[in-house]
Amino acid sequence: MPTTDEKKLTLDAVIVGAGFAGLYMLYRLRGLGLSAGVFEAGKGVGGTWYWNRYPGARCDVESMDYSYSFSDELQQEWRWTERYSAQPEILKYINHVADRFDLRRDITLETRVTSAVFDEAASRWTVRTDRGHDISAQFCIMATGCLSSTQEPKFERLESFTGKWYHTGRWPHEGVDFTGQRVGVIGTGSSAIQSIPIIAAQAKRLFVFQRTPNYSVPAHNAPLDPEYEKIVKANYAEFRRQARESRVGFVMEKNDASALEVAPDVRAREYETRWKRGGLGFSSTFNDILFNQAANQTAADFFGAKIRSIVRDPVVADTLTPKTYPLGTKRLCVDTNYYATFNRDNVTLVDLRKTPIERITPDGLRTSKQDYQLDSIVFAIGFDAMTGALLAVDIRGRGGRTLRDKWAEGPKTYLGLSMAGFPNLFTITGPGSPSVLSNMIVSIEQHADWIADCIDYLRTNGRRSIEAMADAENEWVQHVNDVGHMTLYPQANSWYMGANIPGKPRIFMPYIGGVGVYRQRCDEVTAKGYEGFTLA
Ligand code: N01
């Protein structure tokens, strides 16, 4: 891509976003000899790891899994320091990748893509940015991330607050020192659960405003065991193969037993073993936890007992115990000292179910019961997940139809990769693919590879465009929905269901059929000459 300030560009492909997905997509397209340009709103590469710098931000997929597999030299040479990597280390890794593969020269930073409009006559996309770029591209690839569009805090009188407020998903780069402060954290999802213990250790007082408690498993984070690293590196190809064929994009110890068929003491032992091991594998302790309410209840009961054993005040312990949705149907959280933090004298849990927030005040906030004096407020209220970042761009396909209109009743895609009416537009880890239910890097690499192979196929076969057929799309949407409804997931008011954003259609958005099964399906589609797509 030209490195001048030129704004009118003609490219083979525009890639929107310079996170893990955008970088690898660029690498692949370059390898095919295409001209491709990445446009990124942030001042640096890294996507989610660029923005989410809140205290304690850490990946809860293990480091040896959560990394690119496409370059053996890279995966052999890079050394992770911890079992679970912290945000600064992951960001350093992404920057290393950008440099190592000389990607920066095709990345335009601090530039937000505002619209992408399909020109039917030319069969090309016109992509515009907030810095005046006007780009004509044959392909438009959305690498915008599933959790990148933050949910804006819409609390009454927020503008009257005289202290400082922050969103975990847009944390200041210089960091925040809460020493001596009275801090309020609103929300108790993954971001809050990671940051609360650290803020509590720093602040004078911490008030945690909880609407819905979450299930959180200890991380048992530690320096990466050099023996484990050696074993994985000696067998990385096989390790990666197993991850690609697994259900969630990394190998979790499976147990084919039902929670209801084993004796109570065996069940308790299994849960205890998983708890001690820590991490996301807890929800696969038994094969029916995510499918059967009674089985799920046994896991929830174990959890309740754990919380009561850690948190000294029984009322606080009870408030922290989830009761309104099955375990695992909201994203399981992974923590370091989360529950124990509520034993600290300077930490108070406020149950918003009993005393909702009425409004923000100049010096804090007011619930239906009382005023809280706060110097800072941390909004850990999450994201407009999966669709938010895509709909933030004014995307118009055939006949000028907007994506917003097409998705008015919920996202509709074929394989989470493409959409009828939007030729040559691809979504990396789009709704309808395993995405957020998987190790994102495994899913990103699979999608970028599929897209690159598809573009290569089009070019070598003299085709100009590919477009999902409406029937294939409808069938896929139905399938995604059917499989989702075989599980307990739809019972929760989760961001998977779009339930965290007022007015968002209630649809289970990711594909839960499993990473390996899904990959097979995509490969079959390719093998059958892009079954379900029209090539022109
Ligand atoms: O956001 P969330 P997050 N008033 O949506 C509450 C990934 N992630 O940023 O449940 C009061 O989970 C809301 O309450 P409720 C991971 O996939 C990964 O924490 O809607 N409260 C909830 O408690 C994760 O799932 C990692 O009742 C309000 C919280 O805010 C996803 O990102 C780390 C409210 C939002 O929780 C999102 O996590 C961090 C309101 N008006 C994140 N609105 C790792 O890999 C919302 N809430 C470690």
Side-chain angles (χ1 to χ4, degrees), residues 327-515:
L327 178 145
T329 57
K330 281 186 173 215
R331 168 70 140 65
L332 206 59
C333 300
V334 179
D335 72 275
T336 301
N337 292 330
Y338 177 63
Y339 293 117
T341 295
F342 293 90
N343 291 331
R344 295 177 65 106
D345 292 338
N346 69 333
V347 176
T348 304
L349 181 65
V350 181
D351 184 352
L352 297 180
R353 296 278 171 200
K354 292 193 176 132
T355 58
I357 295 172
E358 287 188 342
R359 65 180 173 85
I360 307 293
T361 60
D363 55 2
L365 66 77
R366 178 173 300 165
T367 65
S368 59
K369 187 173 164 211
Q370 71 180 86
D371 278 309
Y372 292 87
Q373 315 292 315
L374 304 170
D375 302 301
S376 294
I377 302 177
V378 174
F379 294 103
I381 57 173
F383 302 87
D384 184 354
M386 307 199 71
T387 56
L390 292 165
L391 293 174
V393 178
D394 182 10
I395 299 178
R396 293 167 191 255
R398 249 181 225 296
R401 186 176 187 198
T402 63
L403 186 61
R404 190 167 284 283
D405 178 47
K406 180 180 170 86
W407 284 6
E409 284 157 22
K412 291 192 178 73
T413 70
Y414 181 37
L415 300 170
L417 269 165
S418 85
M419 287 157 287
F422 296 79
N424 290 1
L425 178 86
F426 297 102
T427 50
I428 300 185
T429 62
S433 72
S435 61
V436 292
L437 298 175
S438 72
N439 175 352
M440 285 302 288
I441 302 191
V442 170
S443 290
I444 282 168
E445 285 191 331
Q446 187 245 335
H447 265 190
D449 284 338
W450 191 95
I451 294 165
D453 292 347
C454 170
I455 289 176
D456 190 33
Y457 178 90
L458 296 176
R459 291 165 78 92
T460 49
N461 288 279
R463 307 292 196 139
R464 283 202 313 168
S465 75
I466 181 164
E467 180 180 356
M469 292 175 185
D471 283 354
E473 181 177 275
N474 288 337
E475 274 169 34
W476 183 251
V477 170
Q478 190 59 50
H479 175 62
V480 170
N481 201 40
D482 290 347
V483 180
H485 281 267
M486 285 163 64
T487 72
L488 301 173
Y489 276 88
Q491 293 186 22
N493 287 323
S494 64
W495 58 257
Y496 297 131
M497 296 295 296
N500 65 327
I501 302 290
K504 191 163 171 171
R506 196 186 166 93
I507 305 272
F508 186 67
M509 295 184 286
Y511 177 55
I512 201 171
V515 161

Side-chain angles (χ1 to χ4, degrees), residues 48-49 52 54 56-61 66 147 151 153-155 167-169 186-194 209-214 280 325 330-334 352-353 357 379-383 436 493-496 499-500:
T48 197
W49 300 106
N52 285 271
Y54 58 84
R58 187 181 289 287
C59 185
D60 49 20
V61 174
Y66 193 82
L147 294 158
Q151 156 140 255
K154 292 200 178 104
F155 292 84
H167 191 298
T168 47
I186 299 180
T188 47
S190 296
S191 303
I193 281 178
Q194 288 189 324
F209 297 93
Q210 170 190 280
R211 192 164 66 181
T212 314
N214 251 301
L280 294 169
Y325 62 95
K330 281 186 173 215
R331 168 70 140 65
L332 206 59
C333 300
V334 179
L352 297 180
R353 296 278 171 200
I357 295 172
F379 294 103
I381 57 173
F383 302 87
V436 292
N493 287 323
S494 64
W495 58 257
Y496 297 131
N500 65 327

Side-chain angles (χ1 to χ4, degrees), residues 90-105:
I90 302 175
L91 190 58
K92 195 169 143 203
Y93 171 77
I94 303 179
N95 275 284
H96 169 76
V97 169
D99 292 329
R100 185 182 184 123
F101 298 97
D102 186 25
L103 300 175
R104 293 189 198 276
R105 65 187 153 87

